[in-house]
Amino acid sequence: MPAAVLAGIGSALPARIVDNHELSTRLDTSDDWIRTRTGITERRISGPGESTADLAVQAGEQALRGRGADAVVLATSTPDQPCPASAPQVAARLGLGTAAAYDVNAVCTGFIYGLATGTGLIAAGIARSVLVIGADTLTTLIDPEDRGTVPIFGDGAGAVLLRAGEPDEPGALGPFDLHSDGGQAGLLWVEAGGCRKRLTDVPAERYLAMQGTAVFREACARMAESSVTVLERAGWLVDNVDRFVGHQANIRILQATAKRLGMPEDAVVSNIHRVGNTSAASIPLALHDAHADGTLIAGHRILLSAFGAGLTWGSTVLSWPELD
Ligand code: COA
């Protein structure tokens, strides 16, 4: 059975930077509060020409570097339209002809679910190469008046190209651990805009509602639990992990999860200070930045773990490959 091997990476961010000082001019908040409670200093906010699909195309182009892909899996909870999925348009704009293309919605865990889906397509012999993109413009779901959510979220995209290879090659993904708990969907959700309740002018219904403290607790517990499971499946000890690339929701969540796992703080990879929580884009953006600045080098053993609305959570591992 072929393994899915990471063979390329790319990222894209909107041009507009909004820092904490700018937010504190229009909301009852401060740079100090946001930095100490979340680790975020600034985030990118999408504008015209920077939709989810626009950002996904830019990140995808970088990951492909002129190569093709048999399938595109776009992890997003903010597609350009409610119907159809955005992945086929992304595939077409990337010049991938009639490649299979579909969206996966597991919100902030979307990229891990997307990797699992891409790995499955390759393992089943359905595709030899899969472009997995995590892209979100989650700020379009945020109430501009809500100081509880505005400081946290940002927009962006990250992408990886997976190719068929051998399980013991550097870059081979897996095993995986994936979970959900729909019984707790109400901790983090948008009430209206779906089929049960169509578009509405009521801010409390059309924007993301978040029970921050409960989400914080669940995120730490679930990411740690899932990381333990996936490390056991991989036969790795915590000490074998060189870098922990978790979903960039809050630096304190990443630090607390690492602590629960008994991992040193310097194993934690984070770019949250400059991008905030970019939902499905968070892990590939963090991987891209860490690769670019040398925090990740070939041979590093990496643990990926995410948590998000749904609730959903999941983890996987890989050894970082040589990439151009
Ligand atoms: N600026 C200033 N004060 C703020 C604020 C802001 N932006 N947001 C909340 N506060 C206030 C609260 O009103 C509260 O005031 P009070 O003590 O007078 O009642 C105080 O700060 C503490 O609020 P609390 O919610 O307990 O803070 P916290 O330490 O839990 O941090 C979050 C809040 C949202 C940063 C934190 O709960 C969190 O990160 N949760 C997870 C969110 C997340 O990751 N979501 C996405 C998951 S994929």
Side-chain angles (χ1 to χ4, degrees):
M1 195 162 63
V5 177
L6 195 147
I9 190 157
S11 77
L13 289 171
R16 184 163 173 246
I17 300 173
V18 176
D19 67 14
N20 295 343
H21 295 287
E22 183 178 337
L23 292 186
S24 62
T25 61
R26 60 179 174 86
L27 287 171
D28 181 15
T29 190
S30 66
D31 173 53
D32 184 58
W33 192 95
I34 300 169
R35 268 190 300 105
T36 51
R37 300 291 178 124
T38 69
I40 301 165
T41 303
E42 61 186 41
R43 72 287 295 145
R44 301 295 182 102
I45 309 290
S46 54
E50 295 175 330
S51 72
T52 294
D54 295 330
L55 295 168
V57 168
Q58 283 179 45
E61 230 159 28
Q62 274 182 30
L64 287 170
R65 292 169 57 98
R67 294 167 289 189
D70 299 334
V72 175
V73 176
L74 173 62
T76 188
S77 51
T78 50
D80 281 22
Q81 299 89 24
C83 179
S86 292
Q89 295 162 66
V90 171
R93 287 170 62 186
L94 286 169
L96 296 175
T98 56
Y102 53 95
D103 291 2
V104 164
N105 182 352
V107 199
C108 296
T109 317
F111 186 71
I112 301 283
Y113 271 69
L115 287 180
T117 305
T119 299
L121 290 173
I122 288 174
I126 296 168
R128 295 285 298 167
S129 55
V130 182
L131 181 65
V132 179
I133 309 173
D136 266 313
T137 49
L138 215 88
T139 64
T140 57
L141 297 178
I142 298 300
D143 179 352
E145 310 281 313
D146 180 10
R147 72 172 182 170
T149 50
V150 168
I152 293 176
F153 293 96
D155 302 327
V160 296
L161 177 64
L162 305 182
R163 63 159 173 84
E166 300 300 321
D168 54 358
E169 268 188 77
L173 285 163
F176 282 85
D177 177 62
L178 302 177
H179 294 280
S180 75
D181 177 5
Q184 298 203 75
L187 290 187
L188 195 56
W189 83 341
V190 182
E191 168 99 24
C195 70
R196 198 173 59 182
K197 191 175 277 185
R198 295 300 297 153
L199 294 175
T200 166
D201 287 332
V202 183
E205 293 181 346
R206 65 189 278 214
Y207 292 125
L208 188 80
M210 180 176 81
Q211 296 187 34
T213 309
V215 170
F216 190 107
R217 233 185 353 250
E218 282 288 326
C220 297
R222 298 308 197 174
M223 287 207 293
E225 187 181 291
S226 176
S227 296
V228 168
T229 303
V230 92
L231 291 178
E232 271 173 19
R233 285 185 191 154
W236 293 12
L237 300 172
V238 168
D239 290 350
N240 298 140
V241 177
D242 298 301
R243 297 286 181 262
F244 169 48
V245 185
H247 169 49
Q248 309 284 308
N250 183 320
I251 191 68
R252 289 160 50 223
I253 292 177
L254 292 170
Q255 288 164 344
T257 305
K259 195 170 170 193
R260 274 182 195 230
L261 291 169
M263 214 176 260
E265 217 175 276
D266 59 10
V268 175
V269 169
S270 182
N271 63 350
I272 195 170
H273 57 285
R274 69 181 205 97
V275 294
N277 179 345
T278 56
S279 193
S282 144
I283 287 184
L285 269 174
L287 286 173
H288 177 271
D289 287 3
H291 172 65
D293 72 13
T295 306
L296 283 188
I297 53 170
H300 268 157
R301 289 181 166 209
I302 303 168
L303 166 66
L304 307 180
S305 189
F307 174 88
L311 302 177
T312 53
W313 63 96
S315 307
T316 190
V317 295
L318 78 159
S319 295
W320 196 247
E322 293 279 0
L323 293 175
D324 302 338

